[in-house]
Amino acid sequence: MSDYNFAYLDEQTKRMIRRAILKGLAVPGYQVPFASREMPMPYGWGTGGVQVSAATLTPDDTLKVIDQGADDTTNAVSIRKFFENTAGVATTEETEKASVIQTRHRIPEAELSEDQILVYQVPIPEPLRFLEPRETETRKMHALQEYGLMHVKLYEDISQHGAIATSYAYPVKVAGRYVMDPSPIPKFDNPKMNMAAIQLFGAGREQRIYAVPPYTDVVSLDFEDFPFEASKADHPCDLCAAEDSYLDEVILDDAGNRMFVCSDTDYCRSRRDAGHMGRLSEEAA
Amino acid sequence: MIELQNVSKSFTLHNQGGAVIPVMEGASLRVAPGECIGLTGASGAGKSTLMRVIYGNYLAASGRVMVGGVDVGKAAPRDILALRRQTLGYVSQFLRVVPRVPTLDVVAEPLLAVGVAPDAARDRAATLLAGLNIPERLWQLSPTTFSGGEQQRVNIARGFAHSYPAMLLDEPTASLDAQNRATVLRLIEEAKARGAAIIGIFHDEAAREEVCDRCVDVSAFTPKVAA
Amino acid sequence: MTPLLQVKNLAKMYGARIGCADVSFDLYPGEVMGIVGESGSGKSTLLNSMAGHLTPDRGEVIFDTRADGPVDTVTMSEPARRMLGRTDWAFVHQHARDGLRMSVSAGGNIGERLMAVGDRNYGNIRARAADWLGRVEIAESRIDDRPSAFSGGMQQRLQIARNLVTGPRLVFMDEPTGGLDVSVQARLLDLLRNLVREMGLSAIIVTHDLAVVRLLADRLMVMKDGHVVETGLTDQVLDDPQHAYTQLLVSSVLQV
């Protein structure tokens, strides 16, 4: 047993964070300020997500941590180990078995259930930040629902590129009221945000928490004549032949060979275990 | 249609020690629809001043000015503006125009102001300009570069574009040749025939004799200055 | 007829100093009111107090809203006033840069007000922006250019287009021709006159230039030291000034 309090944070801090989470759930998409603590990793490495997970975990939970869809990258491994050490909770790589999933920049392919909580790591919570640098102004715009500027950005995209060029962190309108930054997930994942699980968002450096309750309406912003399209890859996964998952491109050698594989490692593994085989699966296996 | 009751006018020059210059007092006159009155009197006697008081361009110091039932001295600004648009026309001695506006549009403007469609307005403007011998090639140019006589004719065309029930004409035939003078007098007769009440200043005696039904000498209104 | 705007006893102080005081007037649809005065006369303070950029210390600014009839905009809630500022009201700044988004294209600048009131059709927004560029005599081919690539006169015309696209009924203008070349000024004034007439706009224009008011304004208020010293029809105030200060102002204008 370690010398840490359960999940590292003291109980008072967890209470403060839980209050912020409740407020966020009560007002979907609204950015709730919170007193972000010093964590044993620097800003920009997921401190917001870690604090939200720490406040959410109970001893009976099973935790999964993914980074760009993968369980085995450095950051995912170290955060998972952090909670193994400080909370002693069970951990897993299988999406269906987890009760709390902390993620950086992806939503798992497997559909989530009402018994699960998805915790997102968020770098910049304010969707209007790059159009309007003043925090005083953006707060007013959210309060007064003045979102014309958001559409100006989309208009500029279309006039310059012929289509809306935003491919990740694509802004959404939550419950018909607040415009929210869904964190840098690919726009491919946006439709999944209409889900049965609770979604919590933590930004440690910016000190904001926001949330989307289950079955909440999340609509990606667009124009009537330029509707939102969740871009789909042209090919199936080279390992498991999935046609509906987000793919990573992997360079194989310096002769130009590449393969496309599911970014969600657990999803790919479970499909392969079930017998699905992609173009390169014999060689990869 | 136009009625003045005991109107007086003076100017107080605050920046010259408060000097008071009385110009007019006890001015009363009446113009009925279809009548044309000529104002006479020596230069400086107050003919233009009287016209400007009627138009609301100068404020009367006392008395009443009624045009078409509107008390010009007491009416709200928007009522006087409406009066000037619909009822009371004023052809001054000088053409004052916005730079860059073509002659045709200058003449059509009073019609656009009362809601006439642009095409109809321009047609009427074209007819008037042609009648006053302004060549068509000049219609798209701004009148600011025209000769004095041409400007005067554009001024008159603009003044007669809309059929005002009351009109004030300050030297309408000045600097015009015989042919154009005759055209202007004809326009005045047409206005009279449709029932307009007209007050005019004509230095040209012959013109005055031709169109005016009677004359009013404004020196009768000159204040008697104590010696 | 209900006045479009009723200003009653408006006053704005800067500490003990008077910015403007005891200003009252009614403005009707289609009327253009000019406010002239020298620097420090209080005309910009008055304009900004009416437009809601400054909070007046006393008085009311009652606007005849479409939905609820006459409402005092001074005591209106901020969201309602900001909405008014995007729909029925417009404000043309002296410096185009204050009234435009310099990093957004001309089309985006004009389209912003449309998007702010809920227009969600790109083609429609772009078409209306192009139409307005034409109306303010900017080549449609410049629709995707940034205002930073425009001349001063073009920027000012773009600002006007951006303001008028939602068909406001009342336009506030602060020295709209200040800083522009004379020929550019003439063109702008011409444009404003036509738009005012075509759209039936009411406008309140602050300027120190008497030629501008003669051209654009039906009515005139002369301000000195924060007070209105004379008011009336523009031609009457300029041709037959009653107040000493107005007489001084009028006689000081150079005849060209």
Side-chain angles (χ1 to χ4, degrees):
Chain A
M1 197 53 213
S2 69
D3 291 312
Y4 295 106
N5 195 36
F6 179 80
Y8 186 78
L9 294 174
D10 59 278
E11 293 304 311
Q12 293 304 319
T13 299
K14 283 192 251 178
R15 284 180 79 175
M16 177 270 296
I17 293 174
R18 286 170 189 156
R19 283 203 183 100
I21 290 173
L22 287 175
K23 198 163 182 176
L25 285 166
V27 190
Y30 168 70
Q31 299 165 48
V32 183
F34 81 106
S36 182
R37 296 290 189 241
E38 295 285 350
M39 298 298 286
M41 67 277 286
Y43 292 132
W45 292 81
T47 57
V50 168
Q51 287 177 84
V52 170
S53 292
T56 308
L57 282 171
T58 64
D60 301 326
D61 276 312
T62 304
L63 176 69
K64 171 178 159 82
V65 184
I66 47 172
D67 176 1
Q68 303 274 35
D71 295 89
D72 55 356
T73 66
T74 313
N75 297 322
V77 168
S78 67
I79 291 175
R80 193 166 61 241
K81 280 206 154 31
F82 172 80
F83 282 113
E84 279 170 8
N85 287 338
T86 61
V89 289
T91 59
T92 177
E93 292 194 9
E94 293 174 64
T95 310
E96 306 82 55
K97 298 217 171 82
S99 56
V100 176
I101 302 170
Q102 179 168 329
T103 176
R104 175 177 170 274
H105 303 353
R106 282 255 28 236
I107 298 181
E109 303 292 347
E111 205 173 314
L112 301 178
S113 73
E114 286 177 8
D115 299 319
Q116 294 174 302
I117 297 177
L118 186 61
V119 178
Y120 296 76
Q121 292 172 210
V122 180
I124 301 285
E126 175 53 67
L128 299 165
R129 179 60 62 229
F130 296 104
L131 297 166
E132 177 53 75
R134 296 170 289 184
E135 173 75 8
T136 47
E137 259 308 296
T138 51
R139 284 206 199 185
K140 251 192 207 163
M141 286 159 119
H142 282 294
L144 302 178
Q145 236 179 323
E146 288 180 8
Y147 291 127
L149 197 54
M150 202 70 242
H151 276 90
V152 171
K153 157 127 198 357
L154 301 179
Y155 170 96
E156 292 290 286
D157 271 1
I158 299 174
S159 69
Q160 280 165 28
H161 308 294
I164 298 175
T166 310
S167 54
Y168 61 91
Y170 193 105
V172 294
K173 194 155 212 198
V174 179
R177 176 57 182 88
Y178 282 93
V179 166
M180 185 185 93
D181 183 324
S183 83
I185 53 176
K187 68 177 181 178
F188 176 87
D189 281 342
N190 275 25
K192 299 195 184 84
M193 294 186 76
N194 290 285
M195 61 164 75
I198 293 174
Q199 298 171 84
L200 302 178
F201 298 79
R205 177 185 48 217
E206 295 296 312
Q207 310 194 45
R208 298 283 186 277
I209 284 174
Y210 46 104
V212 177
Y215 305 116
T216 301
D217 210 27
V218 177
V219 177
S220 300
L221 301 183
D222 61 10
F223 287 100
E224 282 168 8
D225 45 342
F226 282 82
F228 171 77
E229 277 165 24
S231 53
K232 218 204 137 309
D234 299 351
H235 359 251
C237 170
D238 284 329
L239 292 181
C240 75
E243 307 225 315
D244 58 350
S245 77
Y246 189 73
L247 304 177
D248 283 338
E249 183 180 3
V250 182
I251 310 293
L252 295 175
D253 54 37
D254 56 8
N257 291 314
R258 62 196 66 210
M259 70 174 182
F260 291 87
V261 294
C262 292
S263 127
D264 187 336
T265 52
D266 181 58
Y267 183 70
C268 202
R269 176 204 53 75
S270 63
R271 279 185 57 89
R272 289 199 310 270
D273 287 349
H276 294 104
M277 295 200 296
R279 184 172 65 94
L280 300 173
S281 61
E282 291 89 350
E283 293 154 88
Chain B
M1 190 67 211
I2 303 176
E3 186 175 345
L4 273 71
Q5 292 169 7
N6 215 11
V7 169
S8 73
K9 175 66 187 156
S10 61
F11 293 102
T12 308
L13 303 178
H14 295 285
N15 301 308
Q16 273 148 51
V20 178
I21 304 182
V23 176
M24 204 161 71
E25 71 183 14
S28 298
L29 63 82
R30 255 190 157 149
V31 187
E35 241 194 318
C36 178
I37 307 234
L39 294 180
T40 57
S43 182
K47 303 187 290 296
S48 291
T49 302
L50 185 63
M51 259 192 194
R52 286 173 181 249
V53 169
I54 297 172
Y55 198 59
N57 183 232
Y58 282 176
L59 288 179
S62 66
R64 226 157 71 128
V65 179
M66 303 289 296
V67 178
V70 176
D71 185 336
V72 174
K74 296 209 170 55
R78 74 184 182 289
D79 293 327
I80 304 183
L81 291 169
L83 187 75
R84 289 176 177 182
R85 263 198 308 274
Q86 321 266 22
T87 311
L88 182 59
Y90 179 38
V91 180
S92 69
Q93 280 181 292
F94 311 105
L95 178 67
R96 246 186 185 155
V97 276
V98 181
R100 276 197 356 141
V101 181
T103 299
L104 194 67
D105 291 335
V106 167
V107 176
E109 199 181 329
L111 288 167
L112 295 173
V114 289
V116 174
D119 288 337
R122 291 205 183 95
D123 284 342
R124 169 97 182 114
T127 311
L128 283 163
L129 286 170
L132 286 161
N133 298 309
I134 302 280
E136 204 173 324
R137 61 184 159 75
L138 295 182
W139 292 357
Q140 290 309 318
L141 301 177
S142 166
T144 44
T145 52
F146 294 176
S147 70
E150 282 170 333
Q151 286 196 3
Q152 180 59 351
R153 282 178 276 145
V154 171
N155 203 10
I156 289 171
R158 179 170 64 173
F160 280 86
H162 171 61
S163 308
Y164 295 102
M167 296 186 78
L168 306 168
L169 308 173
D170 195 344
E171 300 284 6
T173 57
S175 45
L176 294 184
D177 62 22
Q179 186 196 14
N180 285 313
R181 195 170 65 84
T183 307
V184 172
L185 295 179
R186 191 172 41 79
L187 286 171
I188 297 175
E189 289 292 347
E190 281 170 11
K192 279 172 68 176
R194 61 171 161 76
I198 304 177
I199 300 181
I201 299 172
F202 303 89
H203 269 129
D204 178 354
E205 269 195 54
R208 204 187 323 141
E209 297 289 306
E210 220 180 295
V211 292
C212 293
D213 301 310
R214 58 187 166 94
C215 291
V216 171
D217 188 345
V218 302
S219 21
F221 309 135
T222 307
K224 314 288 173 278
V225 181
Chain C
M1 199 205 286
T2 322
L4 187 66
L5 190 74
Q6 289 170 275
V7 175
K8 296 188 178 173
N9 300 314
L10 199 64
K12 173 71 184 167
M13 316 289 286
Y14 294 114
R17 208 160 47 81
I18 297 177
C20 66
D22 302 321
V23 182
S24 301
F25 67 93
D26 290 344
L27 190 72
Y28 287 83
E31 279 187 344
V32 178
M33 168 75 88
I35 305 178
V36 293
E38 295 176 326
S39 302
S41 59
K43 54 190 197 296
S44 288
T45 301
L46 176 59
L47 191 74
N48 286 310
S49 300
M50 287 190 286
H53 296 171
L54 293 173
T55 310
D57 295 305
R58 275 196 306 278
E60 299 163 80
V61 178
I62 301 170
F63 180 72
D64 188 20
T65 60
R66 287 188 219 253
D68 304 313
V71 175
D72 183 8
T73 58
V74 176
T75 51
M76 223 181 206
S77 72
E78 196 179 347
R81 200 165 349 105
R82 279 170 76 121
M83 188 54 160
L84 198 62
R86 279 200 301 279
T87 51
D88 245 357
W89 279 10
F91 196 105
V92 178
H93 291 85
Q94 178 174 3
H95 302 292
R97 283 161 188 266
D98 296 330
L100 290 173
R101 289 198 193 272
M102 299 306 282
S103 59
V104 171
S105 69
N109 263 290
I110 300 176
E112 186 178 344
R113 273 175 89 133
L114 295 172
M115 291 184 253
V117 294
D119 201 326
R120 291 290 174 262
N121 188 299
Y122 174 82
N124 186 45
I125 293 165
R126 196 173 168 81
R128 284 179 73 177
D131 175 61
W132 266 96
L133 284 175
R135 288 173 80 165
V136 299
E137 297 178 23
I138 295 178
E140 272 182 44
S141 55
R142 317 258 351 226
I143 191 172
D144 294 321
D145 291 345
R146 301 258 169 88
S148 39
F150 288 2
S151 68
M154 283 171 81
Q155 286 179 359
Q156 195 59 312
R157 279 178 279 137
L158 180 62
Q159 204 204 156
I160 289 169
R162 175 181 158 90
N163 269 289
L164 298 186
V165 69
T166 43
R169 289 185 294 150
L170 179 60
V171 186
F172 297 95
M173 296 195 223
D174 190 358
E175 306 272 7
T177 57
L180 295 176
D181 293 336
V182 178
S183 62
V184 175
Q185 271 192 40
R187 200 172 171 192
L188 191 71
L189 288 174
D190 205 18
L191 176 69
L192 287 171
R193 262 171 36 105
N194 288 332
L195 287 173
V196 164
R197 194 190 53 225
E198 278 166 38
M199 295 175 72
L201 295 176
S202 299
I204 301 179
I205 304 176
V206 157
T207 179
H208 62 272
D209 188 343
L210 295 182
V212 170
V213 288
R214 217 188 243 287
L215 220 53
L216 282 183
D218 305 308
R219 297 165 59 188
L220 190 57
M221 285 197 320
V222 181
M223 289 193 76
K224 183 179 195 299
D225 297 330
H227 288 92
V228 177
V229 296
E230 188 163 354
T231 179
L233 292 174
T234 306
D235 65 290
Q236 180 261 300
V237 172
L238 295 178
D239 289 344
D240 187 19
Q242 305 292 302
H243 192 273
Y245 178 68
T246 318
Q247 290 182 356
L248 181 64
L249 207 60
V250 170
S251 61
S252 308
V253 176
L254 299 173
Q255 302 292 340
V256 183

